Amino acid sequence: MKTGFELLNDPFLNKGTAFSQEERQKYGLVGLLPPNIQTIEEQAEQAYVLFQQYPDLETKRHYLMRLFSENRTLFYNLFSKHVEEFMPIVYDPTIAPDIEQYSLRYVDSQYACFLSADHPEDLETSLKDAAAGRDIDLIVVTDAEAILGIGDWGTNGVEISVGKLMVYTAAAGVDPNRIMPVVIDAGTNRQELLDNPLYLGERHKRVDEDRYNAFIDNFVTTVEQLFPNLYLHFEDFGRSHAAAILDRYKNTYPVFNDDVEGTGIVTLAGILGGLNISGEKLVDQVYLCFGAGTAGCGIAERVLQEFVDQGMDREEARKRFYLVDRQGLLFDDMDNLTPQQKPFARKRSEFANADELTNLAAVVKTVHPTIMVGTSTVHGAFTEEIISEMAAHCKRPMVFPLSNPTKLAEAAAQDLLTWTDGRALVACGVPSDDVELNGITYQIGQANNALIYPGLGLGVLASKARLLTDQMISLAAHSLGGIVDTTKPGAAILPPVSKITEFSERIAIGVAEEAIKQGLNRKPIANAKEAVDALKWFPVYKEL
């Protein structure tokens, strides 16, 4: 057992002023702390008062990160009391500038593991050192090639792994002592980082494909051997790697890619919520995605699978999908399509005006979508002209501008509702205020992956599932139904972040039940709810 300053500097064990008199005597803390002994509730109240004194979101985040580095239990106790307020501060969108400035502001590694593709020989040692003897159940790993909407940030991208894991614990009660953020530094193609003398990562362009793939294979094999109950979450890998890596391992290990799968799950949940309000059927919808990268294709594939699950032939369903990227509508004769884009590419012979379909406005006017999803990072791409054209051909157009942060969003909720006279069913990628229009208060759902992935992960861990299957993923999307009162005028199509702990548990139980039903649990489990309850961690101090 640690003692003295070593104990106070361990964020997993530190209680600060809440150490009892007996603990202070036993663990060499006498004289190292102020004499007044506080409860965790008193500490949290004091911390929140201090938090409120900071003038902007960025400085509030810095304070919370310092608290996180010093005392995990107090941090999560405070987080649990202010989930809706803290979520956009500890994660997206406030995390973006911290990623950009990570090397300049570096103070603490936050128990992350830093791996370098230049030193594959150190991989196993690095993972063991970072685990420090802890059993690790959950890793979020990034190579930081496609961070949020801000691109390639090399080693700085470790913050995304740290932030994602914070949400796992705050939303689903995953034990923070059994998780580990990992960044794989395979170089960076961002010249401003390579030219910056303060940059803390490897100073070269990204390594070639052979070295990269060999390192990823080595990493996955090693972590699965070191941590046999591991659930491995891939985050913000680049367009050319994300889906390929997921496909390589998804039939061997319980792995998840938030950009390929997570965004698709929460978007599908939003569509299902919208259909609950409109009373329409999924199989009658026409789907258009603007921005056919990793997220856009992943979403399209997940929604397509739901068409199939509801009884439509896959090829027939595919005819209702249109993907638009920089070059316009994707056609099968284009020579630069990714493997994920090719199944959705259309034939030019389908359109009398194929040569004109080089921009979003022309495509919308031609195909009359009822659902339009934006993952383009093109700010303002959903113009009044485009939305009005869409709304002219359907009663309740579903419009999801998902790009984030706000400066990259395709449209604002206020505009979408104004342009459609309140008919649009809207979900945004960033938090949005309620919209007042024609005497109705419209609540705007946030298509935040945090609505899904914490509960999904908890369900996999609780069931000790060998794999994460499509059926488990689909069940997670359907689990959000029934939380929002869809009969209320202006109802959101997704539940609010304020209820995240409630629906994370609901998702976890459903996913665990599905894993058991499929025989994927590695150990016998009699009751999924009991297994979920037994695994959940709560931010209260325990006797040392």
Side-chain angles (χ1 to χ4, degrees):
M1 185 62 203
K2 296 178 179 179
T3 60
F5 286 116
E6 188 180 12
L7 176 56
L8 294 176
N9 287 324
D10 186 327
F12 300 107
L13 299 175
N14 183 26
K15 301 180 185 181
T17 55
F19 279 112
S20 67
Q21 193 60 45
E22 292 76 16
E23 288 171 328
R24 297 181 188 207
Q25 291 283 349
K26 186 174 181 179
Y27 298 113
L29 300 174
V30 175
L32 305 188
L33 292 163
N36 183 43
I37 297 172
Q38 294 180 298
T39 66
I40 195 169
E41 299 300 326
E42 290 170 334
Q43 289 179 318
E45 183 179 353
Q46 181 179 356
Y48 188 63
V49 169
L50 184 55
F51 164 85
Q52 290 177 304
Q53 293 177 5
Y54 288 95
D56 53 56
L57 295 183
E58 200 165 342
T59 54
K60 287 178 187 292
R61 173 179 162 77
H62 295 165
Y63 168 71
L64 292 175
M65 294 305 294
R66 187 167 73 250
L67 183 61
F68 172 78
S69 296
E70 294 171 356
N71 186 331
R72 292 286 199 274
T73 308
L74 177 56
F75 169 83
Y76 284 114
N77 186 284
L78 182 63
F79 198 166
S80 69
K81 294 175 169 64
H82 307 279
V83 171
E84 190 170 19
E85 181 181 6
F86 282 13
M87 192 74 77
I89 297 175
V90 302
Y91 192 60
D92 185 39
T94 313
I95 196 173
D98 261 12
I99 292 169
E100 295 170 349
Q101 299 297 320
Y102 178 82
S103 291
L104 174 65
R105 297 171 176 171
Y106 175 82
V107 174
D108 186 278
S109 294
Q110 297 160 344
Y111 281 72
C113 181
F114 297 80
L115 302 177
S116 170
D118 292 0
H119 299 285
E121 71 280 3
D122 292 336
L123 189 150
E124 183 172 352
T125 299
S126 300
L127 290 164
K128 288 180 177 178
D129 288 348
R134 295 176 294 141
D135 292 325
I136 302 299
D137 295 333
L138 170 63
I139 284 176
V140 173
V141 58
T142 185
D143 75 347
E145 187 175 3
I147 294 287
L148 301 171
I150 59 176
D152 180 353
W153 284 93
T155 277
N156 288 14
V158 68
E159 285 280 81
I160 211 73
S161 296
V162 173
K164 215 77 178 184
L165 286 168
M166 285 178 173
V167 179
Y168 267 108
T169 298
V174 177
D175 188 343
N177 196 47
R178 301 176 69 91
I179 63 181
M180 186 162 70
V182 176
V183 62
I184 295 173
D185 189 333
T188 177
N189 293 336
R190 184 174 291 276
Q191 194 62 42
E192 69 180 271
L193 291 181
L194 299 177
D195 293 341
N196 186 344
L198 297 178
Y199 175 56
L200 296 174
E202 300 288 2
R203 295 176 178 276
H204 56 69
K205 298 288 187 181
R206 288 191 169 266
V207 299
D208 62 51
E209 287 298 295
D210 289 341
R211 285 179 61 197
Y212 179 86
N213 287 323
F215 191 87
I216 296 294
D217 283 337
N218 190 12
F219 165 73
V220 173
T221 302
T222 302
V223 293
E224 292 293 342
Q225 290 174 345
L226 290 176
F227 313 118
N229 295 315
L230 185 69
Y231 177 58
L232 183 56
H233 173 139
F234 294 96
E235 184 71 27
D236 286 345
F237 282 69
R239 175 184 290 203
S240 62
H241 295 135
I245 291 172
L246 177 65
D247 290 342
R248 199 182 313 165
Y249 302 113
K250 68 181 182 181
N251 295 320
T252 307
Y253 304 114
V255 298
F256 174 72
N257 185 299
D258 194 39
D259 307 290
V260 176
E261 298 173 297
T263 311
I265 302 168
V266 75
T267 304
L268 173 58
I271 291 171
L272 295 174
L275 294 173
N276 285 339
I277 294 173
S278 70
E280 297 175 345
K281 295 180 180 179
L282 178 66
V283 294
D284 294 330
Q285 307 305 305
V286 177
Y287 182 96
L288 186 152
C289 178
F290 181 51
T294 299
C297 291
I299 295 169
E301 186 59 43
R302 173 50 49 198
V303 178
L304 173 67
Q305 183 60 48
E306 186 66 21
F307 272 78
V308 175
D309 291 344
Q310 293 195 18
M312 184 176 279
D313 176 77
R314 182 172 293 273
E315 291 310 310
E316 184 63 28
R318 212 182 298 275
K319 294 176 183 177
R320 293 179 169 271
F321 284 73
Y322 301 87
L323 269 60
V324 181
D325 211 75
R326 297 179 185 89
Q327 64 270 53
L329 184 64
L330 298 188
F331 288 110
D332 60 3
D333 60 358
M334 293 175 172
D335 58 9
N336 57 349
L337 298 178
T338 68
Q340 291 71 44
Q341 292 172 339
K342 287 180 180 179
F344 293 98
R346 308 303 293 255
K347 296 184 180 298
R348 291 186 186 273
S349 58
E350 298 177 51
F351 306 93
N353 62 336
D355 291 343
E356 299 174 8
L357 303 180
T358 58
N359 59 75
L360 180 62
V363 176
V364 169
K365 190 171 184 178
T366 299
V367 307
H368 300 156
T370 61
I371 301 170
M372 187 160 65
V373 174
T375 55
S376 66
T377 70
V378 178
H379 181 66
F382 293 171
T383 64
E384 182 175 3
E385 175 192 4
I386 288 172
I387 298 302
S388 297
E389 174 65 26
M390 179 183 180
H393 300 278
C394 56
K395 291 181 179 178
R396 300 301 303 270
M398 278 191 248
V399 188
F400 298 176
L402 301 185
S403 294
N404 58 72
T406 304
K407 64 182 180 181
L408 303 178
E410 288 82 6
Q414 174 80 56
D415 290 335
L416 294 173
L417 286 161
T418 300
W419 296 337
T420 61
D421 197 29
R423 291 190 290 124
L425 295 165
V426 180
C428 296
V430 295
S432 297
D433 293 333
D434 292 349
V435 175
E436 301 288 340
L437 186 68
N438 299 331
I440 297 175
T441 300
Y442 292 87
Q443 296 178 317
I444 310 302
Q446 185 186 0
N448 187 332
N449 293 13
L451 300 182
I452 292 287
Y453 71 79
L456 182 65
L458 179 61
V460 172
L461 292 173
S463 64
K464 299 189 184 301
R466 292 183 290 105
L467 300 172
L468 173 61
T469 65
D470 279 344
Q471 292 88 344
M472 293 158 71
I473 290 171
S474 178
L475 193 144
H478 282 271
S479 294
L480 291 185
I483 296 176
V484 174
D485 180 5
T486 57
T487 65
K488 180 182 177 182
I493 62 175
L494 286 166
V497 172
S498 61
K499 293 187 177 181
I500 195 168
T501 55
E502 172 190 333
F503 53 73
S504 290
E505 181 173 346
R506 180 188 295 201
I507 291 169
I509 293 169
V511 168
E513 288 175 342
E514 182 63 28
I516 295 166
K517 177 182 175 183
Q518 293 184 266
L520 294 172
N521 48 306
R522 286 176 277 197
K523 293 182 179 179
I525 296 173
N527 184 288
K529 184 179 186 309
E530 290 178 1
V532 168
D533 289 342
L535 193 64
K536 288 184 73 172
W537 175 87
F538 296 93
V540 295
Y541 292 136
K542 298 185 174 110
E543 289 295 324
L544 297 180

